[in-house]
Amino acid sequence: MPAHTVASLVGITYGPGGQMSFTALHPELGRIDATLADLGQGLEWENVYRTRPRIWLTCPECGHGVHAKLSPRRTRYFAHDPGRSPDCQLSVESADHHLLKLVLAEAIRRAGWSADLEVPAPDGAWRADVMATSPTSDEDRMAWEAQLSPITDDDIQMRTDRYAADDIDVCWVSSRDRVPWLCTVPAIAVNPASPPAAAERWMVHDGLVRFDYARGGWVQVDDVTLATFVRWVLGDGLVFHAIGRRYRRIHLPGSNATTRRSASWTTQRSIDAEAEHEAMRQQQEAAKRAREARAREAEERRKQAEARRKQAERERQREEEERRRAEAEERHRLFMIEMERQRAVREAERREQQRKQQEQARQEELARLERDRQEQAAAQQWWSGVSAAQLTELLDHVARLSMTERTSRALLRSDEGDRDFAYGIPVYTGRHLYGVIRPCPHSLGRLPTSSRIFVRNAREKALITATGLVNADLVTHFDLPDHEQTTLL
Ligand SMILES: [Zn+2]
Protein backbone atom coordinates (compact mmCIF):
# COMPACT_ATOMS: atom_id res chain seq x y z
CA MET A 1 0.00 0.00 0.00
CA PRO A 2 1.53 3.29 -1.04
CA ALA A 3 2.30 5.71 1.72
CA HIS A 4 -0.02 8.38 0.40
CA THR A 5 -3.05 6.10 0.86
CA VAL A 6 -2.01 5.49 4.44
CA ALA A 7 -1.75 9.19 4.81
CA SER A 8 -5.17 9.63 3.30
CA LEU A 9 -6.58 7.19 5.86
CA VAL A 10 -4.91 8.37 9.01
CA GLY A 11 -4.08 11.79 7.72
CA ILE A 12 -0.60 11.74 9.20
CA THR A 13 2.10 13.79 7.58
CA TYR A 14 5.35 11.94 7.90
CA GLY A 15 8.67 13.53 8.37
CA PRO A 16 11.80 11.73 7.26
CA GLY A 17 11.60 8.10 8.49
CA GLY A 18 8.11 8.44 9.96
CA GLN A 19 8.80 9.15 13.65
CA MET A 20 5.30 8.14 14.77
CA SER A 21 3.91 5.68 17.35
CA PHE A 22 0.55 4.92 19.00
CA THR A 23 1.91 4.46 22.48
CA ALA A 24 3.85 6.65 24.88
CA LEU A 25 4.99 6.61 28.50
CA HIS A 26 3.15 9.05 30.79
CA PRO A 27 5.44 10.44 33.58
CA GLU A 28 2.91 9.45 36.27
CA LEU A 29 0.51 6.90 34.77
CA GLY A 30 2.92 4.92 32.64
CA ARG A 31 1.95 3.48 29.28
CA ILE A 32 -0.82 5.22 27.35
CA ASP A 33 -2.39 4.13 24.03
CA ALA A 34 -3.62 6.71 21.51
CA THR A 35 -5.93 4.18 19.83
CA LEU A 36 -7.99 3.67 23.00
CA ALA A 37 -10.76 6.12 23.93
CA ASP A 38 -9.36 6.61 27.50
CA LEU A 39 -5.79 6.05 26.38
CA GLY A 40 -5.94 2.85 28.49
CA GLN A 41 -5.51 4.88 31.67
CA GLY A 42 -8.86 6.74 32.19
CA LEU A 43 -7.42 9.83 30.56
CA GLU A 44 -8.97 12.25 28.13
CA TRP A 45 -6.99 12.97 24.91
CA GLU A 46 -7.09 16.60 25.98
CA ASN A 47 -5.08 15.61 29.09
CA VAL A 48 -2.08 14.96 26.89
CA TYR A 49 -2.77 16.86 23.67
CA ARG A 50 -1.44 20.43 23.52
CA THR A 51 -1.40 20.82 27.29
CA ARG A 52 0.07 23.78 29.03
CA PRO A 53 2.40 23.14 30.63
CA ARG A 54 3.47 20.32 28.41
CA ILE A 55 3.35 16.79 29.86
CA TRP A 56 6.65 15.08 29.31
CA LEU A 57 5.72 11.98 27.36
CA THR A 58 8.50 9.64 26.21
CA CYS A 59 8.90 6.90 23.60
CA PRO A 60 8.50 3.42 25.22
CA GLU A 61 11.15 2.11 22.84
CA CYS A 62 13.93 4.65 22.97
CA GLY A 63 12.95 6.97 25.83
CA HIS A 64 13.14 10.02 23.53
CA GLY A 65 10.55 12.69 24.05
CA VAL A 66 7.31 12.44 22.09
CA HIS A 67 4.27 14.68 21.77
CA ALA A 68 0.59 13.89 21.06
CA LYS A 69 -0.65 14.79 17.57
CA LEU A 70 -3.85 14.63 15.53
CA SER A 71 -3.84 13.95 11.84
CA PRO A 72 -6.10 15.95 9.52
CA ARG A 73 -8.44 12.92 9.68
CA ARG A 74 -8.23 13.21 13.45
CA THR A 75 -6.26 10.01 14.02
CA ARG A 76 -4.45 10.22 17.33
CA TYR A 77 -0.76 9.38 17.60
CA PHE A 78 2.54 10.36 19.13
CA ALA A 79 5.44 11.89 17.25
CA HIS A 80 9.07 11.91 18.32
CA ASP A 81 10.47 15.28 19.28
CA PRO A 82 13.15 16.68 16.99
CA GLY A 83 16.58 15.13 17.47
CA ARG A 84 15.20 11.64 18.11
CA SER A 85 17.36 8.61 18.67
CA PRO A 86 18.39 7.34 15.20
CA ASP A 87 18.00 3.64 16.10
CA CYS A 88 14.46 3.74 17.61
CA GLN A 89 12.45 0.91 16.03
CA LEU A 90 9.13 2.60 16.64
CA SER A 91 10.23 5.78 14.95
CA VAL A 92 11.36 4.02 11.78
CA GLU A 93 8.22 1.90 11.28
CA SER A 94 6.54 2.61 8.00
CA ALA A 95 3.13 4.13 7.46
CA ASP A 96 1.82 0.76 6.21
CA HIS A 97 3.07 -0.86 9.39
CA HIS A 98 1.26 1.68 11.57
CA LEU A 99 -1.93 1.34 9.56
CA LEU A 100 -1.89 -2.48 9.83
CA LYS A 101 -1.37 -2.27 13.59
CA LEU A 102 -4.40 0.01 13.84
CA VAL A 103 -6.51 -2.35 11.76
CA LEU A 104 -5.42 -5.37 13.83
CA ALA A 105 -6.25 -3.57 17.09
CA GLU A 106 -9.66 -2.67 15.73
CA ALA A 107 -10.34 -6.31 14.68
CA ILE A 108 -9.32 -7.64 18.10
CA ARG A 109 -11.51 -5.16 19.91
CA ARG A 110 -14.47 -6.01 17.61
CA ALA A 111 -13.98 -9.64 18.65
CA GLY A 112 -14.51 -8.67 22.25
CA TRP A 113 -10.88 -8.90 23.31
CA SER A 114 -8.77 -5.97 24.50
CA ALA A 115 -5.91 -4.84 22.27
CA ASP A 116 -2.75 -3.10 23.43
CA LEU A 117 -0.24 -1.68 20.98
CA GLU A 118 3.51 -1.89 21.14
CA VAL A 119 3.57 -4.05 24.27
CA PRO A 120 7.08 -5.01 25.44
CA ALA A 121 7.99 -8.13 27.40
CA PRO A 122 9.05 -7.48 30.99
CA ASP A 123 12.49 -8.84 30.13
CA GLY A 124 12.56 -7.23 26.69
CA ALA A 125 12.47 -10.59 24.90
CA TRP A 126 9.68 -9.35 22.58
CA ARG A 127 7.59 -6.29 21.83
CA ALA A 128 4.15 -7.10 20.45
CA ASP A 129 2.77 -4.78 17.77
CA VAL A 130 -0.70 -5.59 19.09
CA MET A 131 -1.31 -7.76 22.18
CA ALA A 132 -4.79 -9.29 22.43
CA THR A 133 -6.02 -10.20 25.91
CA SER A 134 -9.03 -12.41 26.62
CA PRO A 135 -12.00 -10.78 28.30
CA THR A 136 -12.18 -13.76 30.65
CA SER A 137 -8.53 -14.16 31.64
CA ASP A 138 -5.61 -11.74 31.64
CA GLU A 139 -3.34 -14.76 31.27
CA ASP A 140 -4.90 -15.64 27.92
CA ARG A 141 -2.99 -13.47 25.50
CA MET A 142 -2.12 -13.56 21.83
CA ALA A 143 0.34 -11.42 19.94
CA TRP A 144 -0.44 -10.05 16.46
CA GLU A 145 2.54 -8.90 14.54
CA ALA A 146 2.43 -6.66 11.49
CA GLN A 147 5.44 -7.82 9.49
CA LEU A 148 6.02 -5.90 6.30
CA SER A 149 9.80 -5.73 6.09
CA PRO A 150 11.84 -8.69 4.88
CA ILE A 151 12.82 -11.19 7.55
CA THR A 152 14.56 -14.56 7.40
CA ASP A 153 12.80 -17.79 8.30
CA ASP A 154 15.26 -18.27 11.17
CA ASP A 155 14.62 -14.81 12.60
CA ILE A 156 10.84 -15.05 12.46
CA GLN A 157 10.99 -18.56 13.96
CA MET A 158 13.23 -17.28 16.74
CA ARG A 159 10.85 -14.40 17.51
CA THR A 160 7.91 -16.85 17.54
CA ASP A 161 9.82 -19.11 19.93
CA ARG A 162 10.31 -16.21 22.32
CA TYR A 163 6.52 -15.75 22.53
CA ALA A 164 6.07 -19.50 22.97
CA ALA A 165 8.53 -19.44 25.89
CA ASP A 166 6.09 -17.08 27.64
CA ASP A 167 3.10 -19.22 26.60
CA ILE A 168 1.84 -16.61 24.14
CA ASP A 169 0.44 -17.51 20.72
CA VAL A 170 1.35 -15.26 17.80
CA CYS A 171 0.05 -14.61 14.33
CA TRP A 172 2.18 -12.80 11.82
CA VAL A 173 0.31 -10.59 9.37
CA SER A 174 1.65 -9.14 6.13
CA SER A 175 0.02 -6.94 3.53
CA ARG A 176 2.69 -7.82 0.98
CA ASP A 177 1.74 -9.78 -2.14
CA ARG A 178 4.54 -12.29 -1.65
CA VAL A 179 5.26 -13.57 1.85
CA PRO A 180 8.11 -16.14 1.84
CA TRP A 181 7.75 -17.18 5.51
CA LEU A 182 4.01 -17.79 5.34
CA CYS A 183 4.35 -21.50 6.16
CA THR A 184 7.25 -21.13 8.60
CA VAL A 185 5.20 -19.69 11.47
CA PRO A 186 1.47 -19.03 12.02
CA ALA A 187 0.80 -16.25 9.52
CA ILE A 188 -1.57 -14.74 6.98
CA ALA A 189 -1.39 -12.28 4.13
CA VAL A 190 -4.06 -9.62 3.82
CA ASN A 191 -5.23 -7.23 1.13
CA PRO A 192 -5.64 -3.68 2.33
CA ALA A 193 -9.06 -2.22 1.71
CA SER A 194 -9.10 0.30 -1.09
CA PRO A 195 -9.73 3.01 -0.39
CA PRO A 196 -8.31 2.46 3.10
CA ALA A 197 -11.01 1.49 5.53
CA ALA A 198 -11.81 -0.50 8.66
CA ALA A 199 -10.89 -4.15 9.36
CA GLU A 200 -14.23 -5.29 7.96
CA ARG A 201 -13.00 -4.29 4.50
CA TRP A 202 -9.61 -5.97 4.70
CA MET A 203 -9.55 -9.46 3.21
CA VAL A 204 -7.35 -12.44 4.06
CA HIS A 205 -5.88 -13.58 0.70
CA ASP A 206 -3.35 -16.16 1.82
CA GLY A 207 -2.72 -18.39 4.81
CA LEU A 208 -6.28 -19.64 5.30
CA VAL A 209 -7.45 -22.88 3.67
CA ARG A 210 -10.31 -25.34 3.83
CA PHE A 211 -10.29 -28.99 2.86
CA ASP A 212 -12.51 -29.93 -0.07
CA TYR A 213 -13.12 -33.63 0.46
CA ALA A 214 -14.80 -34.10 -2.94
CA ARG A 215 -11.80 -32.50 -4.61
CA GLY A 216 -9.44 -34.40 -2.35
CA GLY A 217 -7.35 -31.34 -1.50
CA TRP A 218 -7.00 -28.00 0.19
CA VAL A 219 -8.51 -24.84 -1.29
CA GLN A 220 -7.35 -21.38 -0.43
CA VAL A 221 -10.05 -19.27 1.25
CA ASP A 222 -10.25 -15.73 -0.11
CA ASP A 223 -13.64 -14.50 1.08
CA VAL A 224 -12.92 -14.00 4.78
CA THR A 225 -12.32 -10.55 6.19
CA LEU A 226 -9.43 -9.84 8.51
CA ALA A 227 -11.98 -9.00 11.26
CA THR A 228 -13.69 -12.38 10.85
CA PHE A 229 -10.35 -14.17 10.75
CA VAL A 230 -9.18 -12.53 13.99
CA ARG A 231 -12.52 -13.36 15.65
CA TRP A 232 -12.24 -17.02 14.60
CA VAL A 233 -8.64 -17.32 15.77
CA LEU A 234 -9.36 -15.74 19.14
CA GLY A 235 -12.48 -17.93 19.48
CA ASP A 236 -10.36 -21.03 18.90
CA GLY A 237 -12.20 -21.70 15.62
CA LEU A 238 -8.97 -21.84 13.62
CA VAL A 239 -5.80 -23.83 14.09
CA PHE A 240 -2.40 -23.42 12.48
CA HIS A 241 -2.02 -26.82 10.86
CA ALA A 242 0.91 -28.66 9.31
CA ILE A 243 -0.51 -29.89 6.00
CA GLY A 244 -0.11 -33.56 5.13
CA ARG A 245 2.78 -34.33 2.83
CA ARG A 246 0.48 -35.41 0.01
CA TYR A 247 -1.86 -32.41 0.27
CA ARG A 248 0.53 -29.49 -0.04
CA ARG A 249 -0.60 -28.50 -3.53
CA ILE A 250 -3.24 -25.91 -2.64
CA HIS A 251 -5.97 -25.08 -5.14
CA LEU A 252 -6.48 -21.40 -5.74
CA PRO A 253 -10.12 -20.33 -5.81
CA GLY A 254 -11.73 -19.55 -9.15
CA SER A 255 -8.95 -21.08 -11.26
CA ASN A 256 -7.12 -24.31 -11.95
CA ALA A 257 -3.91 -22.86 -10.55
CA THR A 258 -2.26 -24.27 -7.46
CA THR A 259 0.41 -23.18 -5.03
CA ARG A 260 2.45 -25.10 -2.50
CA ARG A 261 1.87 -24.69 1.23
CA SER A 262 3.27 -26.87 4.01
CA ALA A 263 1.23 -25.21 6.80
CA SER A 264 -1.77 -22.95 7.06
CA TRP A 265 -4.60 -21.72 9.24
CA THR A 266 -7.73 -23.86 8.94
CA THR A 267 -10.62 -25.32 10.92
CA GLN A 268 -10.54 -28.50 12.96
CA ARG A 269 -13.27 -29.83 10.69
CA SER A 270 -11.00 -29.41 7.66
CA ILE A 271 -8.14 -31.07 9.55
CA ASP A 272 -10.44 -34.00 10.32
CA ALA A 273 -11.53 -34.12 6.67
CA GLU A 274 -7.88 -34.18 5.57
CA ALA A 275 -7.17 -37.02 8.01
CA GLU A 276 -10.26 -38.87 6.82
CA HIS A 277 -9.24 -38.36 3.19
CA GLU A 278 -5.71 -39.50 3.95
CA ALA A 279 -7.08 -42.63 5.64
CA MET A 280 -9.39 -43.24 2.68
CA ARG A 281 -6.53 -42.65 0.24
CA GLN A 282 -4.26 -44.99 2.15
CA GLN A 283 -7.01 -47.58 2.16
CA GLN A 284 -7.43 -47.10 -1.58
CA GLU A 285 -3.69 -47.32 -2.11
CA ALA A 286 -3.51 -50.41 0.07
CA ALA A 287 -6.42 -51.87 -1.90
CA LYS A 288 -4.71 -50.88 -5.14
CA ARG A 289 -1.42 -52.41 -4.00
CA ALA A 290 -3.32 -55.52 -2.97
CA ARG A 291 -5.04 -55.62 -6.38
CA GLU A 292 -1.72 -55.12 -8.13
CA ALA A 293 -0.14 -57.80 -5.97
CA ARG A 294 -3.01 -60.13 -6.77
CA ALA A 295 -2.72 -59.26 -10.45
CA ARG A 296 1.03 -59.92 -10.34
CA GLU A 297 0.42 -63.20 -8.55
CA ALA A 298 -2.25 -64.14 -11.06
CA GLU A 299 0.08 -63.20 -13.90
CA GLU A 300 2.85 -65.22 -12.30
CA ARG A 301 0.53 -68.18 -11.87
CA ARG A 302 -0.62 -67.78 -15.47
CA LYS A 303 3.00 -67.71 -16.69
CA GLN A 304 3.86 -70.75 -14.62
CA ALA A 305 0.79 -72.57 -15.91
CA GLU A 306 1.75 -71.57 -19.44
CA ALA A 307 5.29 -72.83 -18.88
CA ARG A 308 3.96 -76.08 -17.47
CA ARG A 309 1.55 -76.38 -20.39
CA LYS A 310 4.37 -75.80 -22.91
CA GLN A 311 6.58 -78.27 -21.06
CA ALA A 312 3.76 -80.81 -21.09
CA GLU A 313 3.19 -80.11 -24.77
CA ARG A 314 6.90 -80.65 -25.53
CA GLU A 315 6.78 -83.82 -23.43
CA ARG A 316 3.69 -84.96 -25.27
CA GLN A 317 5.26 -84.22 -28.68
CA ARG A 318 8.42 -86.02 -27.62
CA GLU A 319 6.36 -89.01 -26.51
CA GLU A 320 4.32 -88.85 -29.68
CA GLU A 321 7.52 -88.80 -31.73
CA GLU A 322 8.89 -91.67 -29.68
CA ARG A 323 5.65 -93.55 -30.16
CA ARG A 324 5.69 -92.94 -33.94
CA ARG A 325 9.29 -94.01 -34.14
CA ALA A 326 8.52 -97.15 -32.12
CA GLU A 327 5.52 -97.80 -34.35
CA ALA A 328 7.63 -97.34 -37.46
CA GLU A 329 10.24 -99.68 -36.03
CA GLU A 330 7.53 -102.17 -35.12
CA ARG A 331 6.01 -101.89 -38.60
CA HIS A 332 9.44 -102.39 -40.12
CA ARG A 333 10.05 -105.35 -37.84
CA LEU A 334 6.68 -106.87 -38.72
CA PHE A 335 7.32 -106.12 -42.38
CA MET A 336 10.65 -107.91 -42.20
CA ILE A 337 9.02 -110.81 -40.39
CA GLU A 338 6.30 -110.92 -43.05
CA MET A 339 8.89 -110.74 -45.80
CA GLU A 340 10.79 -113.56 -44.16
CA ARG A 341 7.58 -115.52 -43.73
CA GLN A 342 6.62 -114.98 -47.37
CA ARG A 343 10.10 -115.88 -48.47
CA ALA A 344 9.92 -119.03 -46.36
CA VAL A 345 6.50 -119.78 -47.82
CA ARG A 346 7.80 -119.29 -51.33
CA GLU A 347 10.83 -121.36 -50.49
CA ALA A 348 8.60 -124.10 -49.07
CA GLU A 349 6.35 -123.84 -52.12
CA ARG A 350 9.36 -123.97 -54.36
CA ARG A 351 10.70 -126.99 -52.48
CA GLU A 352 7.26 -128.59 -52.56
CA GLN A 353 6.98 -127.83 -56.24
CA GLN A 354 10.45 -129.19 -56.77
CA ARG A 355 9.61 -132.22 -54.68
CA LYS A 356 6.40 -132.76 -56.70
CA GLN A 357 8.25 -132.28 -59.94
CA GLN A 358 10.90 -134.68 -58.82
CA GLU A 359 8.21 -137.07 -57.67
CA GLN A 360 6.37 -136.66 -60.95
CA ALA A 361 9.59 -137.11 -62.88
CA ARG A 362 10.33 -140.12 -60.81
CA GLN A 363 6.82 -141.46 -61.42
CA GLU A 364 7.14 -140.63 -65.07
CA GLU A 365 10.51 -142.30 -65.17
CA LEU A 366 9.06 -145.33 -63.43
CA ALA A 367 6.14 -145.30 -65.88
CA ARG A 368 8.52 -144.94 -68.80
CA LEU A 369 10.71 -147.71 -67.44
CA GLU A 370 7.57 -149.79 -66.96
CA ARG A 371 6.47 -148.99 -70.51
CA ASP A 372 9.93 -149.76 -71.74
CA ARG A 373 9.90 -153.00 -69.80
CA GLN A 374 6.47 -153.86 -71.12
CA GLU A 375 7.54 -152.82 -74.63
CA GLN A 376 10.70 -154.87 -74.28
CA ALA A 377 8.65 -157.77 -72.94
CA ALA A 378 6.16 -157.36 -75.77
CA ALA A 379 9.01 -157.05 -78.27
CA GLN A 380 10.66 -160.14 -76.83
CA GLN A 381 7.34 -161.93 -77.04
CA TRP A 382 6.93 -160.50 -80.57
CA TRP A 383 10.26 -161.75 -81.77
CA SER A 384 10.14 -165.07 -79.86
CA GLY A 385 7.77 -166.49 -82.45
CA VAL A 386 10.27 -165.87 -85.27
CA SER A 387 13.32 -167.99 -85.82
CA ALA A 388 16.54 -166.84 -87.42
CA ALA A 389 15.58 -168.71 -90.54
CA GLN A 390 12.24 -167.09 -90.72
CA LEU A 391 13.94 -163.73 -90.25
CA THR A 392 16.37 -164.50 -93.02
CA GLU A 393 13.51 -165.60 -95.20
CA LEU A 394 11.74 -162.36 -94.57
CA LEU A 395 14.92 -160.35 -95.22
CA ASP A 396 15.28 -162.12 -98.55
CA HIS A 397 11.83 -161.07 -99.56
CA VAL A 398 12.46 -157.50 -98.54
CA ALA A 399 15.73 -157.49 -100.41
CA ARG A 400 14.09 -158.77 -103.55
CA LEU A 401 11.39 -156.20 -103.28
CA SER A 402 13.95 -153.43 -102.92
CA MET A 403 15.74 -154.59 -105.97
CA THR A 404 12.48 -154.37 -107.85
CA GLU A 405 11.49 -151.02 -106.49
CA ARG A 406 14.86 -149.32 -106.13
CA THR A 407 17.27 -151.46 -107.98
CA SER A 408 19.26 -151.56 -104.73
CA ARG A 409 19.50 -154.34 -102.29
CA ALA A 410 18.19 -153.49 -98.84
CA LEU A 411 20.70 -154.24 -96.18
CA LEU A 412 20.71 -154.59 -92.40
CA ARG A 413 23.04 -152.64 -90.23
CA SER A 414 22.15 -154.78 -87.25
CA ASP A 415 20.14 -157.95 -86.92
CA GLU A 416 18.62 -156.94 -83.61
CA GLY A 417 15.42 -155.03 -82.99
CA ASP A 418 16.10 -151.32 -82.54
CA ARG A 419 14.16 -149.50 -79.84
CA ASP A 420 14.06 -146.34 -81.94
CA PHE A 421 12.31 -148.27 -84.69
CA ALA A 422 9.63 -149.79 -82.37
CA TYR A 423 11.90 -152.77 -81.78
CA GLY A 424 11.83 -153.55 -85.50
CA ILE A 425 14.99 -153.87 -87.68
CA PRO A 426 15.67 -150.94 -90.01
CA VAL A 427 16.91 -151.75 -93.53
CA TYR A 428 18.65 -149.30 -95.82
CA THR A 429 19.12 -148.93 -99.52
CA GLY A 430 22.40 -147.14 -99.67
CA ARG A 431 22.22 -144.39 -97.15
CA HIS A 432 18.42 -144.16 -97.19
CA LEU A 433 16.08 -145.90 -94.83
CA TYR A 434 14.03 -148.33 -96.90
CA GLY A 435 11.73 -149.56 -94.17
CA VAL A 436 11.43 -151.36 -90.85
CA ILE A 437 11.06 -155.08 -90.52
CA ARG A 438 8.54 -156.32 -88.03
CA PRO A 439 8.12 -153.31 -85.62
CA CYS A 440 6.40 -154.45 -82.43
CA PRO A 441 2.72 -153.49 -82.37
CA HIS A 442 3.15 -152.24 -78.74
CA SER A 443 5.79 -149.74 -79.74
CA LEU A 444 4.54 -148.36 -83.05
CA GLY A 445 4.55 -144.84 -81.68
CA ARG A 446 8.36 -144.92 -81.79
CA LEU A 447 8.48 -145.36 -85.55
CA PRO A 448 9.66 -142.48 -87.72
CA THR A 449 6.68 -141.00 -89.49
CA SER A 450 5.63 -142.66 -92.80
CA SER A 451 8.10 -145.48 -92.38
CA ARG A 452 7.37 -148.48 -94.60
CA ILE A 453 6.72 -151.65 -92.60
CA PHE A 454 7.52 -155.20 -93.70
CA VAL A 455 5.90 -158.16 -91.99
CA ARG A 456 5.64 -161.87 -92.79
CA ASN A 457 1.95 -162.26 -93.47
CA ALA A 458 -1.57 -160.78 -93.24
CA ARG A 459 -1.98 -161.86 -89.64
CA GLU A 460 1.02 -159.73 -88.61
CA LYS A 461 -0.20 -156.86 -90.78
CA ALA A 462 -3.62 -157.08 -89.12
CA LEU A 463 -1.98 -156.90 -85.66
CA ILE A 464 -0.14 -153.74 -86.70
CA THR A 465 -2.95 -151.91 -88.43
CA ALA A 466 -5.38 -152.78 -85.59
CA THR A 467 -3.49 -150.29 -83.45
CA GLY A 468 -4.75 -147.48 -85.67
CA LEU A 469 -1.32 -145.89 -85.49
CA VAL A 470 -0.19 -146.97 -88.93
CA ASN A 471 -1.64 -146.47 -92.39
CA ALA A 472 -2.30 -149.92 -93.86
CA ASP A 473 -0.85 -148.80 -97.27
CA LEU A 474 2.57 -148.52 -95.65
CA VAL A 475 2.47 -152.18 -94.38
CA THR A 476 3.76 -154.83 -96.76
CA HIS A 477 3.55 -158.60 -96.03
CA PHE A 478 4.86 -161.58 -97.96
CA ASP A 479 2.36 -164.32 -97.04
CA LEU A 480 4.94 -166.29 -95.19
CA PRO A 481 3.69 -169.03 -92.90
CA ASP A 482 3.45 -168.36 -89.18
CA HIS A 483 5.04 -171.58 -88.17
CA GLU A 484 8.44 -172.70 -89.19
CA GLN A 485 8.46 -175.82 -91.42
CA THR A 486 10.70 -177.51 -88.90
CA THR A 487 9.95 -180.82 -90.31
CA LEU A 488 11.27 -179.56 -93.59
CA LEU A 489 14.46 -178.45 -92.09
ZN1 LIG B 1 11.39 6.02 20.10
Side-chain angles (χ1 to χ4, degrees):
M1 180 179 211
H4 72 268
T5 50
V6 180
S8 66
L9 169 66
V10 297
I12 300 169
T13 304
Y14 286 89
Q19 301 188 11
M20 67 171 287
S21 67
F22 293 110
T23 55
L25 289 177
H26 190 279
E28 294 153 12
L29 299 172
R31 179 186 163 82
I32 56 175
D33 186 334
T35 66
L36 293 170
D38 66 350
L39 307 182
Q41 299 290 357
L43 282 178
E44 296 295 322
W45 178 246
E46 286 70 26
N47 294 132
V48 296
Y49 180 62
R50 289 184 176 174
T51 56
R52 289 290 185 270
R54 178 179 175 180
I55 296 174
W56 288 101
L57 303 175
T58 54
C59 171
E61 185 75 9
C62 65
H64 196 79
V66 297
H67 52 278
K69 289 190 75 171
L70 273 178
S71 78
R73 294 276 188 88
R74 308 202 64 76
T75 298
R76 308 186 300 197
Y77 66 101
F78 302 103
H80 280 68
D81 293 337
R84 64 176 172 87
S85 169
D87 57 352
C88 176
Q89 287 302 308
L90 278 177
S91 69
V92 299
E93 283 176 354
S94 68
D96 286 351
H97 192 172
H98 288 297
L99 177 60
L100 186 49
K101 285 198 291 188
L102 277 179
V103 169
L104 285 170
E106 179 197 350
I108 292 163
R109 288 163 187 159
R110 278 171 177 258
W113 288 43
S114 58
D116 296 296
L117 279 77
E118 297 152 9
V119 177
D123 60 357
W126 42 262
R127 180 177 56 76
D129 280 339
V130 185
M131 182 65 82
T133 305
S134 168
T136 56
S137 169
D138 287 350
E139 300 297 311
D140 193 359
R141 294 188 294 173
M142 179 172 181
W144 294 80
E145 288 280 2
Q147 183 66 37
L148 304 186
S149 55
I151 185 170
T152 66
D153 286 0
D154 285 346
D155 282 349
I156 201 167
Q157 184 67 58
M158 183 186 69
R159 289 176 64 185
T160 301
D161 291 343
R162 286 179 186 166
Y163 282 112
D166 287 341
D167 201 23
I168 297 171
D169 288 336
V170 62
C171 181
W172 300 85
V173 182
S174 175
S175 57
R176 303 294 186 205
D177 287 338
R178 296 175 54 80
V179 186
W181 36 264
L182 206 56
C183 300
T184 307
V185 293
I188 53 170
V190 293
N191 280 328
S194 181
E200 283 303 322
R201 301 276 301 279
W202 288 57
M203 301 301 291
V204 177
H205 77 81
D206 204 348
L208 178 61
V209 294
R210 65 179 174 82
F211 194 81
D212 185 338
Y213 192 91
R215 208 167 176 179
W218 293 96
V219 182
Q220 198 170 76
V221 175
D222 67 347
D223 58 353
V224 170
T225 65
L226 176 59
T228 301
F229 176 81
V230 169
R231 187 174 77 245
W232 284 351
V233 170
L234 295 179
D236 287 335
L238 292 175
V239 182
F240 189 69
H241 169 62
I243 293 172
R245 185 171 300 278
R246 293 178 175 276
Y247 296 97
R248 291 181 178 173
R249 189 173 294 277
I250 310 295
H251 300 280
L252 299 180
S255 77
N256 290 325
T258 59
T259 186
R260 290 194 68 81
R261 292 287 180 264
S262 59
S264 179
W265 289 93
T266 189
T267 63
Q268 186 59 47
R269 194 169 68 176
S270 277
I271 295 170
D272 294 344
E274 182 196 42
E276 191 181 336
H277 192 276
E278 171 68 7
M280 181 273 291
R281 193 190 56 73
Q282 286 187 2
Q283 279 178 359
Q284 285 183 343
E285 283 201 352
K288 184 184 175 194
R289 282 195 299 273
R291 278 197 306 277
E292 288 169 351
R294 284 195 299 274
R296 280 195 302 273
E297 286 169 10
E299 175 65 10
E300 185 60 26
R301 283 196 299 274
R302 191 192 66 70
K303 281 180 180 170
Q304 286 176 356
E306 176 69 10
R308 284 195 298 273
R309 192 189 65 70
K310 282 182 177 170
Q311 177 63 29
E313 174 66 12
R314 282 194 295 272
E315 190 72 13
R316 193 192 64 72
Q317 285 177 352
R318 197 184 61 73
E319 285 173 0
E320 174 73 6
E321 200 167 320
E322 183 72 14
R323 191 182 62 74
R324 283 184 188 152
R325 198 174 59 75
E327 279 180 2
E329 281 181 4
E330 179 62 9
R331 277 197 303 274
H332 181 70
R333 193 180 70 81
L334 293 175
F335 175 77
M336 294 308 287
I337 289 172
E338 176 64 13
M339 287 298 99
E340 178 62 19
R341 190 190 65 78
Q342 290 180 6
R343 193 196 62 74
V345 167
R346 284 196 302 275
E347 178 64 14
E349 285 173 354
R350 190 187 64 75
R351 286 176 191 278
E352 177 64 13
Q353 184 72 15
Q354 192 175 36
R355 190 191 63 75
K356 282 179 179 173
Q357 285 173 352
Q358 286 172 348
E359 177 65 15
Q360 188 177 354
R362 196 177 65 81
Q363 292 295 340
E364 285 173 359
E365 179 65 9
L366 287 175
R368 190 184 60 76
L369 290 173
E370 178 59 18
R371 276 198 311 278
D372 284 358
R373 195 189 59 76
Q374 287 176 358
E375 283 184 48
Q376 282 177 1
Q380 199 169 9
Q381 177 68 25
W382 174 252
W383 282 107
S384 67
V386 178
S387 67
Q390 286 175 315
L391 177 56
T392 304
E393 182 185 26
L394 180 54
L395 284 172
D396 288 343
H397 281 86
V398 170
R400 278 194 294 273
L401 182 61
S402 70
M403 286 298 292
T404 306
E405 292 177 355
R406 298 199 178 176
T407 64
S408 175
R409 187 179 179 84
L411 294 173
L412 296 177
R413 292 191 183 169
S414 166
D415 58 357
E416 288 185 356
D418 189 326
R419 186 171 172 272
D420 292 336
F421 293 92
Y423 295 99
I425 299 170
V427 288
Y428 299 87
T429 51
R431 293 190 298 129
H432 302 288
L433 180 66
Y434 179 56
V436 180
I437 296 171
R438 277 193 101 239
C440 181
H442 278 90
S443 304
L444 291 176
R446 296 182 183 274
L447 274 183
T449 304
S450 301
S451 296
R452 288 189 70 184
I453 295 171
F454 306 105
V455 294
R456 287 175 58 84
N457 51 34
R459 185 189 62 83
E460 287 185 349
K461 180 176 177 177
L463 285 172
I464 285 174
T465 57
T467 64
L469 295 172
V470 174
N471 189 335
D473 294 343
L474 293 173
V475 183
T476 304
H477 73 88
F478 300 98
D479 279 330
L480 298 174
D482 277 333
H483 301 292
E484 196 177 354
Q485 303 288 318
T486 52
T487 53
L488 296 178
L489 292 174

